[in-house]
Amino acid sequence: MDIDVSPLILNWQFILTGLGFTISLSLLSIILGAAIGIFGGVARTYGGPLLDTIVGVYVDLVRSIPVLAILVWTYFAFPLVIGESLTPFTGGVLALGVHLGAYITETIRAGLTSVRPGQMRAALALGMSRTQAIRTIILPQAVIRMLPPLGSLIVIAVKDSAIASVIAVPELLRQSQVLAGKTFRPFEIYTSAMLIYFLICYPTARMIDRIYRNLAPLGAS
Amino acid sequence: MSIRTETPTRPRIGSDAAPILSFDNVCKRYGSLDALAGVTFQVNRGEVVCLIGPSGSGKSTLLRCANALESIDSGRVLMDGRDVHDRRTDARNLRRRMGMVFQNFELFPHLTVLRNVAVGPTTVLRMPAAGAAARAMELLRKVGLGDKAAQYPAALSGGQQQRVAIARALAMQPDVMLFDEPTSALDPETIGEVLSVMKRLADEGMTMVVVTHEMDFAKRVGNWIVVFDHGKVVEQGPPRQVFEEPTIQRTRDFLSHLGWHGESLAASDLLVPAPSGSYEHRTSD
Ligand SMILES: Nc1ncnc2c1ncn2[C@@H]1O[C@H](COP(=O)(O)OP(=O)(O)OP(=O)(O)O)[C@@H](O)[C@H]1O
Ligand SMILES: [Mg+2]
């Protein structure tokens, strides 16, 4: 097998565009997922039985459906519900964010319930409202404690962004497919794509580990 | 069920006629358990009232009912004449006038010592950060921990953490301080530093309700002793009476269980007089 990297060098901008989409798609879906997850986790823990049930249904639904099915449904079926079409990118962000949000919800919830009740009592005893206590006292500790699982979820989110290639978001994998088809150099191109994913995900995971090791004592009440 | 203990008369410490905190036949149930079965006693302004009694007798529950961290099933708790558990009462406003100190400190581990003390004023009183930090620093110096301001709680000894917790409660400038076994989780060497801070506070005229097993502290610093058993007040009175001539067998049993046999203790080095103007405890380390 001869190896020819020239298609990569000649088309570096094409690959870079893909990388840009992978990063922006991942970041936006992580932000959406985190927002949903924080709201969902707090709602399940402190929002009373009704909110707990509603958010619980969302979590169970999402966890029982393949992310690919959610993505395809969001892009092809959801527009019929809202009567407006979505760009592939928007569809991708929505689907991946909603998917990720369910897992972050459960992680945040586990973190919140692990903070011992005395912390809430101490915050309330100072005169804080429950919202203030959750925001300034309980949630930060929960997030610090849950950094390792949250870190895994973030890395999984970056990897899952490749699924958006099926709805033609021009992210890294999609661009690689197009390029491989054009240049008949699938080995070089797909190998590079794998390497790029690794170079994003591995340092991200290590960085989160490191942050956790520095912060861990601050989450232990 | 209304078991009311006769309240002996006692000298008023403050000038106010009305008690600052009063419990009137307070009942609290957990399922079928009567955690509080009709508790009645009063706390006057400037007094140090010590609550003693065996484990599970309802002392912590009573403190939590005092600042509405727990609801009550019947009876009344009045703070400055206001019904703490009345739905129209602003519980948050009441709570910030009652500082609370917990057995296991409950410092906020993700905040520096300074922020632990300043977080109440900034979030609850909406005090500007600089002003809150200045107040926090002043209180930390008072409890002898000015040099620990930038540390995180995990780096402090138990006694130091508890002094920070006292400073944190004082930062809200409360009218009453509630202490729930503040020295029970401490090593014997560090108990003294916390008790001496509390004694200074009492000397400054702070009204205090102290759940404690430190009979020496209760006797020396307390103005009024309330003995709990099975969710009831079985005896109350001035320390001399409760400790020297307890009228109830249950009190006698409890005191002897703690190794107290009615005789006065020789001067203990537990309560080291602190330098004037500071709560700082002289330690040898
Ligand atoms: N949240 C709760 N749910 C159910 N039962 C409770 C709860 N809190 C306290 N109790 C029970 O109420 C009773 C009184 O408890 P409380 O903690 O007030 O006792 P205590 O006098 O403070 O004891 P200790 O000296 O051990 O701290 C105990 O039997 C306890 O098990
Ligand atoms: Mg207790």
Side-chain angles (χ1 to χ4, degrees):
Chain A
M1 187 177 73
D2 64 325
I3 289 181
D4 177 6
V5 294
S6 61
L8 288 167
I9 296 166
L10 289 175
N11 295 290
W12 65 272
Q13 280 175 309
F14 194 74
I15 303 267
L16 199 66
T17 309
L19 178 60
F21 269 98
T22 289
I23 292 174
S24 52
L25 179 61
S26 308
L27 278 181
L28 287 175
S29 59
I30 288 166
I31 290 170
L32 178 61
I36 294 174
I38 287 172
F39 172 82
V42 169
R44 288 207 79 171
T45 314
Y46 298 106
L50 182 66
L51 265 182
D52 184 23
T53 310
I54 293 171
V55 179
V57 169
Y58 152 70
V59 168
D60 289 341
L61 271 178
V62 167
R63 289 203 299 192
S64 323
I65 300 173
V67 57
L68 183 57
I70 295 176
L71 183 78
V72 169
W73 186 88
T74 307
Y75 184 58
F76 293 108
F78 185 54
L80 304 177
V81 180
I82 58 171
E84 209 162 328
S85 65
L86 297 174
T87 67
F89 185 76
T90 310
V93 168
L94 277 181
L96 296 174
V98 166
H99 175 253
L100 180 64
Y103 290 89
I104 296 188
T105 293
E106 287 309 278
T107 309
I108 295 286
R109 177 166 81 140
L112 291 170
T113 41
S114 77
V115 175
R116 67 170 184 229
Q119 288 282 301
M120 174 61 96
R121 240 179 257 136
L124 293 181
L126 284 174
M128 287 189 196
S129 65
R130 276 169 77 80
T131 312
Q132 288 172 332
I134 292 166
R135 197 172 52 221
T136 61
I137 305 301
I138 314 294
L139 191 56
Q141 292 182 55
V143 171
I144 291 172
R145 287 174 183 206
M146 289 294 132
L147 268 180
L150 288 173
S152 315
L153 288 177
I154 285 172
V155 170
I156 290 171
V158 175
K159 295 193 289 182
D160 278 358
S161 70
I163 297 171
S165 59
V166 303
I167 56 168
V169 178
E171 47 71 61
L172 185 56
L173 188 65
R174 173 75 184 180
Q175 297 291 79
S176 304
Q177 283 169 336
V178 171
L179 203 56
K182 267 200 234 156
T183 63
F184 304 106
R185 281 286 165 192
F187 179 79
E188 291 82 348
I189 289 167
Y190 286 132
T191 306
S192 313
M194 288 193 353
L195 193 66
I196 294 172
Y197 278 116
F198 177 79
L199 289 178
I200 302 173
C201 292
Y202 185 73
T204 304
R206 289 286 75 78
M207 191 180 71
I208 294 170
D209 271 1
R210 203 196 186 117
I211 295 173
Y212 176 65
R213 257 180 284 130
N214 289 325
L215 292 185
L218 310 188
S221 61
Chain B
M1 175 179 0
S2 129
I3 289 145
R4 281 170 181 258
T5 324
E6 202 61 39
T7 308
T9 51
R10 53 178 140 165
R12 297 237 173 253
I13 298 217
S15 49
D16 286 5
I20 186 164
L21 195 55
S22 74
F23 300 87
D24 180 13
N25 205 18
V26 174
C27 297
K28 169 76 186 172
R29 304 178 67 97
Y30 290 115
S32 62
L33 176 91
D34 283 307
L36 297 175
V39 170
T40 302
F41 71 92
Q42 273 142 31
V43 180
N44 296 322
R45 212 174 277 275
E47 264 183 347
V48 176
V49 172
C50 292
L51 310 187
I52 64 175
S55 182
S57 57
K59 308 178 298 292
S60 300
T61 304
L62 182 95
L63 287 193
R64 286 181 204 154
C65 292
N67 64 358
L69 287 177
E70 288 280 3
S71 61
I72 61 176
D73 295 311
S74 63
R76 277 199 314 175
V77 180
L78 296 182
M79 161 83 179
D80 249 352
R82 299 273 301 278
D83 187 338
V84 171
H85 295 273
D86 189 312
R87 198 174 310 185
R88 286 158 300 185
T89 303
D90 180 0
R92 288 173 57 197
N93 200 29
L94 273 172
R95 280 187 199 131
R96 72 187 203 206
R97 297 176 50 205
M98 294 191 238
M100 195 165 201
V101 175
F102 302 86
Q103 181 171 353
N104 36 20
F105 331 130
E106 299 296 354
L107 291 184
F108 307 131
H110 61 302
L111 303 179
T112 63
V113 163
L114 188 79
R115 285 265 290 133
N116 261 278
V117 181
V119 72
T122 53
T123 54
V124 179
L125 307 177
R126 306 239 170 258
M127 213 185 195
R135 180 187 285 186
M137 199 60 215
E138 189 188 321
L139 285 164
L140 284 173
R141 288 208 190 90
K142 263 187 139 181
V143 299
L145 292 170
D147 56 329
K148 302 287 186 194
Q151 305 264 19
Y152 284 91
L156 271 55
S157 75
Q160 291 170 334
Q161 290 193 44
Q162 195 60 298
R163 285 187 281 157
V164 174
I166 293 173
R168 175 178 72 179
L170 290 176
M172 300 301 291
Q173 302 183 321
D175 298 326
V176 182
M177 286 283 283
L178 310 173
F179 292 86
D180 192 357
E181 298 196 38
T183 58
S184 294
L186 297 178
D187 295 334
E189 314 88 78
T190 60
I191 288 177
E193 68 190 49
V194 171
L195 291 182
S196 73
V197 166
M198 290 169 62
K199 173 149 183 358
R200 300 285 307 182
L201 205 52
D203 291 345
E204 285 186 358
M206 176 61 77
T207 309
M208 299 170 34
V209 182
V210 185
V211 173
T212 187
H213 292 305
E214 295 292 335
M215 293 306 136
D216 192 43
F217 176 88
K219 195 181 169 205
R220 281 157 198 281
V221 183
N223 308 110
W224 196 255
I225 309 295
V226 179
V227 186
F228 270 70
D229 191 31
H230 288 102
K232 293 181 193 114
V233 174
V234 292
E235 175 156 17
Q236 59 180 315
R240 186 164 302 124
Q241 179 198 311
V242 173
F243 289 117
E244 312 289 337
E245 52 221 41
T247 51
I248 308 279
Q249 183 58 39
R250 196 70 194 85
T251 309
R252 262 177 250 139
D253 293 346
F254 173 65
L255 291 175
S256 72
H257 172 74
L258 289 176
W260 185 282
H261 300 290
E263 75 276 19
S264 330
L265 286 186
S268 154
D269 61 355
L270 217 51
L271 298 174
V272 180
S276 57
S278 153
Y279 295 125
E280 187 144 18
H281 174 70
R282 284 192 218 125
T283 43
S284 44
D285 56 307

